Amino acid sequence: MLNFIMYLTVDPVNVHYILKDNFQNYPKGERVHSVLHDFMGDGIFNSDGKIWRKHRKVASFEFSNRKLKQMSLTTCRRDALRLLHLLHTFATSRHSVDLQDLFMRMTMDSLRKLLFGMDGQNLETRLPEDPFGKAFDNVNDIIITRLVNPFWKIQRALNMGKEKIVNKNLEVLNSLISNIIEKRKENMSVQALNFKSEKADDLLSRFMQYNEADYQKTYNERELRDFIVNFMVAARDTTAIALSWFIYCICKHPHVAEKIRRETAELLSLENDHNMEVEEMANKLDYECLARMNYLDAALSETLRLYPPFPRDGKTVRKDVLPDGTYGKRGAQISYVPYSIGRMVLLWGPDALEYKPERWLKDGAFQPESPFKFTAFQAGPRMCLGKDYAYVQMKMTASLLLHLFRFDLVANGDVKYRVMMIMPIAGGLNVHVSRR
């Protein structure tokens, strides 16, 4: 008989205690690490202690890099425009489209550029199959089920059941990543011989450069592979899923879309220039302009409150008593649940289940909530380093989409979610697209 204890909490005081005040006493833990190791290795989201601190230190430095921030803005703008051109095709054909799939394709291409310096092909009109993305999704779909399958290690060893699918797709994923790393090494060797060439700015190249500059930060090939997978999990799926739920909310509340369109038009002075080309409009969406989109900020945050991409997050207890008096037994699992926290009347008022961006505004200005109450991006030492990047991509994409298109849910518009490591819309977000 399995002896396994799990605690669930929705109390922000407990969340604050777990994620910050007593952070060292609530690691990821060996059980979760073991379950996810084949996929996420010892990357930043599946490690503790010295290994985690090493990843966090390097990643914190890189995410503050000015060149990376500018590259991120340019990449998000480019891929949002590519998505617009693709949606124009669907609007013309009057065929429905799975918008969640398109968002996944867009974020995958964006990450390819930022991580590897490579241009993706996922948003071509023919919607090509992506072996990397397919293998990634197949593993991501299944591996979390190990938490409720006590026989997964036996099945993995015998290469049977769902573990056979995991093994097959991990081979594909690891092979593709290995090829990317080798090509990057070759490119860096060529660049080293050409003294006039500038070093590449993609994240993989920058992480590999630590091998040359600082022995304490050396990354071997396995660590580079883990870095790639971990950032894919954190940035690709979460942003695409958040945008999908956002469009779903917009379809259910069209007045919100109209307010966002008016905000965008006012900030870009579109009421005085109705003939502005979409490329010119996109170029005006810089960091300063995006930061002033208070209502869009509120609408996106309200979406993340109700539909957080990570519905729950688990830690391991090292033996402790929570602020509410709950005794945590050593080795037990404890999870705070963003999905439930975001829907509690006690925290958000009697209209907690309503989609209401105005709750985030005061005199028209966006008012952020405590990260221990609004937990979509974690909090404390593990606070998401890519939060600003995620909001840039979401705001860039959402403002352009809503300015040019109208979206209507297919059939009755009822959707359900799937609970994996993340919380996508089951069956995708199928919509009809029309030009405004």
Side-chain angles (χ1 to χ4, degrees):
M1 183 175 178
L2 293 176
N3 184 19
F4 177 67
I5 300 173
M6 174 177 280
Y7 305 97
L8 300 174
T9 184
V10 292
D11 185 346
V13 176
N14 284 342
V15 176
H16 193 288
Y17 185 77
I18 293 167
L19 297 185
K20 186 177 181 181
D21 291 347
N22 207 8
F23 169 75
Q24 297 298 334
N25 210 38
Y26 294 90
K28 286 285 186 178
E30 182 54 38
R31 179 171 180 266
V32 173
H33 178 268
S34 174
V35 163
L36 299 178
H37 188 263
D38 291 339
F39 183 39
M40 300 182 73
D42 295 316
I44 191 170
F45 301 111
N46 198 41
S47 59
D48 294 305
K50 289 182 179 180
I51 296 175
W52 173 78
R53 285 194 294 272
K54 172 186 174 180
H55 291 316
R56 183 76 181 189
K57 183 177 182 180
V58 177
S60 297
F61 176 77
E62 290 302 335
F63 270 83
S64 64
N65 181 279
R66 186 177 299 177
K67 283 187 176 181
L68 179 64
K69 286 185 176 181
Q70 187 55 46
M71 184 180 177
S72 299
L73 180 66
T74 302
T75 301
C76 291
R77 180 184 293 125
R78 180 203 67 175
D79 289 335
L81 287 171
R82 292 173 63 220
L83 177 60
L84 289 181
H85 293 310
L86 182 58
L87 285 174
H88 178 71
T89 302
F90 283 100
T92 304
S93 70
R94 298 179 181 272
H95 291 153
S96 65
V97 60
D98 178 1
L99 208 51
Q100 182 169 255
D101 175 61
L102 296 189
F103 286 144
M104 288 285 192
R105 289 171 176 273
M106 180 188 73
T107 53
M108 177 62 88
D109 279 0
S110 296
L111 281 173
R112 268 202 175 94
K113 187 67 174 178
L114 294 173
L115 286 173
F116 317 136
M118 297 166 55
D119 292 324
Q121 313 296 325
N122 279 311
L123 290 175
E124 291 183 358
T125 306
R126 59 188 177 88
L127 296 180
E129 185 175 282
D130 176 17
F132 188 99
K134 185 177 180 181
F136 185 91
D137 288 340
N138 288 340
V139 177
N140 202 5
D141 283 355
I142 296 173
I143 202 158
I144 199 66
T145 63
R146 288 177 171 181
L147 287 170
V148 292
N149 177 11
F151 307 110
W152 70 267
K153 289 185 179 179
I154 297 174
Q155 291 175 334
R156 181 182 62 179
L158 297 176
N159 197 31
M160 62 183 291
K162 289 184 177 181
E163 289 298 319
K164 182 176 182 179
I165 300 173
V166 170
N167 290 340
K168 179 180 178 181
N169 282 277
L170 280 174
E171 286 180 9
V172 173
L173 192 65
N174 291 338
S175 176
L176 290 170
I177 292 176
S178 180
N179 289 338
I180 289 170
I181 292 173
E182 285 304 312
K183 287 180 181 178
R184 181 56 64 220
K185 286 180 179 178
E186 292 173 7
N187 290 342
M188 291 176 68
S189 297
V190 172
Q191 289 173 345
L193 296 174
N194 186 353
F195 297 107
K196 293 183 179 181
S197 65
E198 294 185 5
K199 288 187 176 181
D201 288 325
D202 61 273
L203 276 169
L204 177 59
S205 295
R206 295 183 66 86
F207 270 65
M208 291 173 71
Q209 287 164 19
Y210 284 109
N211 292 347
E212 305 164 11
D214 189 343
Y215 177 76
Q216 295 299 319
K217 297 175 183 175
T218 296
Y219 277 81
N220 59 39
E221 187 163 327
R222 174 68 197 197
E223 287 176 315
L224 291 171
R225 177 261 177 218
D226 294 346
F227 149 72
I228 290 169
V229 171
N230 278 249
F231 274 85
M232 282 288 184
V233 170
R236 179 245 186 174
D237 291 359
T238 52
T239 303
I241 289 169
L243 280 168
S244 301
W245 284 113
F246 169 74
I247 295 297
Y248 168 75
C249 292
I250 289 297
C251 289
K252 291 289 189 178
H253 304 86
H255 69 282
V256 174
E258 187 54 41
K259 288 184 178 181
I260 293 170
R261 282 192 285 267
R262 287 203 300 267
E263 179 178 65
T264 303
E266 182 179 335
L267 285 172
L268 299 182
S269 300
L270 297 179
E271 64 272 16
N272 300 321
D273 188 357
H274 298 289
N275 297 317
M276 183 183 293
E277 295 291 335
V278 66
E279 285 79 8
E280 182 182 354
M281 176 185 169
N283 286 332
K284 287 190 173 186
L285 292 173
D286 55 17
Y287 276 110
E288 181 181 355
C289 181
L290 293 172
R292 292 164 59 198
M293 291 183 166
N294 289 288
Y295 192 82
L296 178 54
D297 227 334
L300 288 167
S301 296
E302 183 71 345
T303 301
L304 290 167
R305 176 182 75 86
L306 291 169
Y307 303 101
F310 286 106
R312 71 178 182 87
D313 183 47
K315 311 293 182 186
T316 300
V317 184
R318 283 182 173 162
K319 192 176 181 180
D320 198 11
V321 179
L322 293 172
D324 67 358
T326 301
Y327 173 76
K329 186 176 181 180
R330 182 179 181 84
Q333 290 288 300
I334 185 165
S335 295
Y336 66 95
V337 191
Y339 183 86
S340 300
I341 294 172
R343 292 163 179 263
M344 291 187 65
V345 171
L346 184 65
L347 298 177
W348 299 95
D351 59 354
L353 296 182
E354 296 179 26
Y355 181 75
K356 190 177 177 181
E358 286 75 14
R359 77 175 75 245
W360 296 84
L361 300 171
K362 184 177 180 179
D363 298 325
F366 178 73
Q367 301 294 311
E369 284 283 358
S370 161
F372 305 101
K373 175 183 174 183
F374 175 60
T375 54
F377 294 94
Q378 285 224 27
R382 285 188 182 266
M383 183 76 165
C384 177
L385 293 170
K387 178 182 177 181
D388 291 343
Y389 167 77
Y391 268 101
V392 165
Q393 182 154 47
M394 289 190 295
K395 291 170 93 170
M396 176 77 72
T397 304
S399 58
L400 291 172
L401 288 185
L402 296 182
H403 179 71
L404 292 174
F405 298 105
R406 180 176 287 105
F407 301 96
D408 296 292
L409 297 171
V410 170
N412 59 12
D414 290 337
V415 301
K416 297 180 180 180
Y417 59 80
R418 295 178 61 199
V419 177
M420 309 176 335
M421 270 199 296
I422 49 177
M423 195 179 77
I425 298 175
L429 180 63
N430 296 297
V431 299
H432 291 295
V433 187
S434 56
R435 290 293 302 266
R436 290 190 67 247

